[in-house]
C-alpha cells in the first residue's frame, strides 16, 4: 500500500486496484479523564508522559475514508458537519481537495452511530451531503439509535441494516468489532493480496492505546468488551500484516501495526 497524493485535509493511497482516501473532518479536544484504566479508573498524575496534551486536553483526529473501485465510491463514516465542535466539519473541503466528485459516492456505511461519524450526511446549510446516495448502511444493532437522531430524520427510512460478514462489494467486508458501541463494525478492504482494515473507534489515543491496549475510553458502551475487541483486532492486523485506517488516529490515520514485547506499535504510512 502506497501513498500517491496528499493535501491539508486528505491523503490518497493505492491498494491493489483500489484507491483509498483518508478524509480529515477535523479534530476534537477531550479531557484526559476520558481515558480509563481497568476498573473504570481515570488517569491523574500517572498519565504516561508520551501522551501529548493541548492546553491540558487530548486531541483526537476525526477521519473518514473513501474507497474507490473505479466505478463507485463507498464512504466509511461522514464526520460531524456542524453538529458538534467548530474544529470539525471539514469533510466537504477534504473531498474537494482530493477531487472526489460527490455524485460518485453511492454508498455510505457507518462504523457506528456516534455523532462524529454520521452527522455529515447533512451539510451545515441543510442540504444533502451526498446527493446521489443510493445505499445507506447502519449496523443492525444501532438502527434504532440512528433513527433517534432528529437532524437526520429524512434518512431514517433509507437506512439498511449492516451485518458482520456482509460484503458491501467484491472488495469490502464488514467485521464485527463491538464494545465501543453495540454494533461497532470494522471494514476489511482487500485487493490483489493487499488488505486495509478501516476500524472506526478501536483506538482513540494512539500515543497510549497501542502500547497499552488495556486502556479504554469513557464513552465505550462496554469497556471490557472494547478491550477484548481491541486486542483481537490488533492481533489480527499485526499477524496478517494488514494496513489499518482509524477514525481517531492522527490524520491521515493510515499505517501498519507490529507487535512489541508488551503491546503494539503503529507506523504511519
Amino acid at each position: 500500500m502506497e501513498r500517491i497524493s496528499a493535501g491539508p485535509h486528505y491523503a490518497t493511497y493505492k491498494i491493489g486496484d483500489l484507491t483509498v482516501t483518508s478524509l480529515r473532518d477535523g479534530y476534537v479536544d477531550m479531557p484526559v479523564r476520558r481515558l480509563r484504566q481497568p476498573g473504570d479508573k481515570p488517569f491523574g498524575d500517572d498519565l504516561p508522559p508520551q501522551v501529548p496534551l493541548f492546553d491540558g486536553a487530548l486531541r483526537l483526529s476525526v477521519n473518514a475514508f473513501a474507497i474507490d473501485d473505479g466505478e463507485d465510491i463507498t464512504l466509511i463514516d461522514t464526520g460531524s458537519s456542524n453538529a458538534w465542535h467548530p474544529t470539525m466539519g471539514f469533510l466537504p473541503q477534504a473531498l474537494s481537495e482530493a477531487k472526489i466528485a460527490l455524485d460518485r459516492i453511492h454508498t455510505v456505511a457507518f462504523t457506528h452511530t456516534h455523532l462524529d461519524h454520521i452527522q455529515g450526511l447533512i451539510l451545515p446549510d441543510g442540504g444533502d451531503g451526498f446527493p446521489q446516495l443510493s445505499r445507506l448502511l447502519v449496523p443492525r444493532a444501532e438502527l434504532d439509535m440512528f433513527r433517534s437522531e432528529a437532524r437526520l430524520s429524512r434518512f431514517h427510512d433509507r437506512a439498511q441494516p449492516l451485518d458482520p460478514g456482509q460484503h458491501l462489494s467484491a472488495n469490502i467486508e464488514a467485521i464485527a468489532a463491538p464494545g465501543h458501541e453495540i454494533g461497532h463494525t470494522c471494514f476489511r478492504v482487500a485487493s490483489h493480496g493487499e488488505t486495509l482494515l478501516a476500524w472506526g473507534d478501536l483506538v482513540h489515543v494512539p500515543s497510549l492505546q497501542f502500547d497499552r491496549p488495556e486502556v479504554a475510553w469513557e464513552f465505550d458502551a462496554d469497556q471490557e468488551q472494547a478491550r477484548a475487541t481491541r486486542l483481537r483486532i490488533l492481533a489480527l492486523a499485526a499477524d496478517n500484516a494488514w494496513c489499518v485506517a482509524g477514525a481517531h488516529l492522527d490524520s491521515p490515520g493510515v499505517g501498519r501495526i507490529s507487535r512489541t514485547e508488551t503491546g503494539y506499535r503503529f507506523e504511519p504510512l
Side-chain angles (χ1 to χ4, degrees):
M1 186 169 176
E2 130 185 63
R3 187 190 293 201
I4 57 174
S5 65
H9 292 88
Y10 85 97
T12 298
Y13 303 82
K14 287 296 291 184
I15 174 169
D17 289 335
L18 307 176
T19 301
V20 175
T21 301
S22 170
L23 301 158
R24 179 180 180 271
D25 192 61
Y27 69 87
V28 59
D29 288 342
M30 303 290 275
V32 172
R33 68 175 181 274
R34 296 284 184 255
L35 286 169
R36 295 300 171 103
Q37 302 173 74
D40 197 30
K41 178 186 175 185
F43 285 93
D45 294 338
D46 56 343
L47 182 71
Q50 76 260 29
V51 180
L53 298 178
F54 297 82
D55 292 327
L58 303 164
R59 179 160 292 179
L60 280 61
S61 288
V62 180
N63 311 310
F65 299 93
I67 303 157
D68 186 346
D69 64 8
E71 295 183 8
D72 294 327
I73 293 176
T74 297
L75 183 63
I76 306 298
D77 293 334
T78 66
S80 64
S81 186
N82 62 335
W84 202 12
H85 292 268
T87 53
M88 305 164 69
F90 293 95
L91 184 69
Q93 183 174 337
L95 288 163
S96 176
E97 286 181 13
K99 296 182 171 55
I100 294 176
L102 294 180
D103 60 6
R104 294 193 59 226
I105 299 175
H106 298 141
T107 297
V108 168
F110 294 135
T111 57
H112 61 299
T113 56
H114 292 179
L115 65 83
D116 52 327
H117 299 259
I118 65 174
Q119 295 289 346
L121 286 174
I122 295 179
L123 298 172
D125 66 6
D128 284 2
F130 312 101
Q132 298 303 313
L133 181 65
S134 59
R135 187 170 57 154
L136 177 60
L137 299 171
V138 178
R140 185 182 293 274
E142 298 185 38
L143 276 169
D144 287 346
M145 298 167 67
F146 177 75
R147 289 170 177 155
S148 71
E149 292 288 340
R151 182 176 180 271
L152 303 178
S153 59
R154 66 178 177 265
F155 292 98
H156 290 174
D157 291 339
R158 297 175 62 182
Q160 302 172 35
L162 174 68
D163 294 305
Q166 181 174 332
H167 283 81
L168 285 63
S169 69
N171 304 101
I172 307 172
E173 178 187 8
I175 296 177
H180 176 60
E181 195 45 85
I182 187 172
H184 188 254
T185 298
C186 297
F187 295 93
R188 186 172 69 90
V189 181
S191 178
H192 287 278
E194 295 186 81
T195 299
L196 171 72
L197 190 66
W199 70 19
D201 284 17
L202 194 80
V203 170
H204 288 83
V205 181
S207 60
L208 181 61
Q209 288 179 290
F210 287 112
D211 184 46
R212 293 179 55 183
E214 78 278 5
V215 174
W217 191 244
E218 183 181 7
F219 292 151
D220 289 337
D222 184 324
Q223 291 182 18
E224 287 305 316
Q225 188 178 45
R227 287 187 180 94
T229 292
R230 183 162 39 259
L231 288 168
R232 173 174 60 86
I233 297 295
L234 286 171
L236 190 65
D239 295 344
N240 288 284
W242 292 354
C243 293
V244 301
H248 297 305
L249 302 184
D250 297 337
S251 179
V254 177
R256 300 181 186 277
I257 301 296
S258 59
R259 289 182 180 268
T260 66
E261 289 187 5
T262 58
Y264 293 87
R265 178 184 297 111
F266 175 71
E267 300 167 8
L269 278 177

